[in-house]
Amino acid sequence: MKQILTVLAIFCFFSVMAAPASAFTAESLSIDVSENGDSTVTFSYTLGLAERVAVFFKVADPAAELKSALESNSGKEVSVSEVTTNSAAFNVTGYAHVDIGDGETTYTTPALSFTRASEILSGYWFAPLITVDLSPAETTVTFPDGFEESFNDSIEIPKISHTVSLS
């Protein structure tokens, strides 16, 4: 009986070692800036099996890590408005600085980096078993007049300024 358990334990060990690495993959990041500078930020991602298990057992919380990254980059309070199995949406009051003058309004969004969130996620005990990619395949920042600035596979989004003519 002891030999059977030993063989099963060895089999389980090698099964885990041979299993493909799981992944957290950022799919898209959408930042919609309103006229008063408030923003809705939606982050879509794909969780592999290990990440789903970690979220289920509350070992990891992608929404909390993303909220923390938004707060540290913007210096603003962030509220979570919705979390699903593959996305998280946030409201950020005063995310963009709004400068009104001379018949135009200039919106300036802060730089945004997910490098620190990536470092935090890689510090979890299960980090060797997963691959973390927090650089969204597509990032879109949309301003009140419909102007969009887009980035592909960027873990860092630069500060963006956009001016809208009031006339």
Side-chain angles (χ1 to χ4, degrees):
M1 180 70 166
K2 192 174 185 181
Q3 290 176 339
I4 292 173
L5 290 176
T6 303
V7 170
L8 285 174
I10 291 171
F11 178 73
C12 288
F13 173 76
F14 283 113
S15 294
V16 168
M17 296 307 289
S22 190
F24 176 101
T25 306
E27 300 295 336
S28 66
L29 173 65
S30 171
I31 302 171
D32 294 317
V33 179
S34 66
E35 287 186 15
N36 66 356
D38 294 350
S39 296
T40 301
V41 179
T42 306
F43 195 87
S44 298
Y45 48 84
T46 302
L47 297 176
L49 180 61
E51 291 81 14
R52 281 187 250 144
V53 169
V55 169
F56 179 78
F57 287 111
K58 307 234 186 272
V59 174
D61 183 356
E65 297 301 340
L66 297 168
K67 178 182 185 284
S68 176
L70 285 169
E71 286 177 335
S72 66
N73 283 278
S74 69
K76 306 292 182 182
E77 187 175 326
V78 175
S79 63
V80 178
S81 61
E82 181 182 17
V83 177
T84 68
T85 56
N86 59 355
S87 69
F90 309 91
N91 293 318
V92 187
T93 303
Y95 180 75
H97 174 74
V98 180
D99 186 23
I100 301 172
D102 295 333
E104 59 187 26
T105 301
T106 301
Y107 299 91
T108 304
T109 62
L112 183 59
S113 174
F114 291 110
T115 303
R116 180 71 183 131
S118 183
E119 291 169 356
I120 290 169
L121 286 172
S122 67
Y124 284 116
W125 64 268
F126 56 84
L129 303 174
I130 65 171
T131 302
V132 176
D133 179 8
L134 283 178
S135 53
E138 182 178 15
T139 298
T140 305
V141 180
T142 306
F143 293 90
D145 65 343
F147 175 80
E148 291 184 351
E149 189 80 35
S150 296
F151 304 90
N152 294 315
D153 296 315
S154 297
I155 197 163
E156 296 187 9
I157 309 304
K159 177 171 87 171
I160 303 168
S161 289
H162 174 65
T163 301
V164 177
S165 178
L166 300 176
S167 51

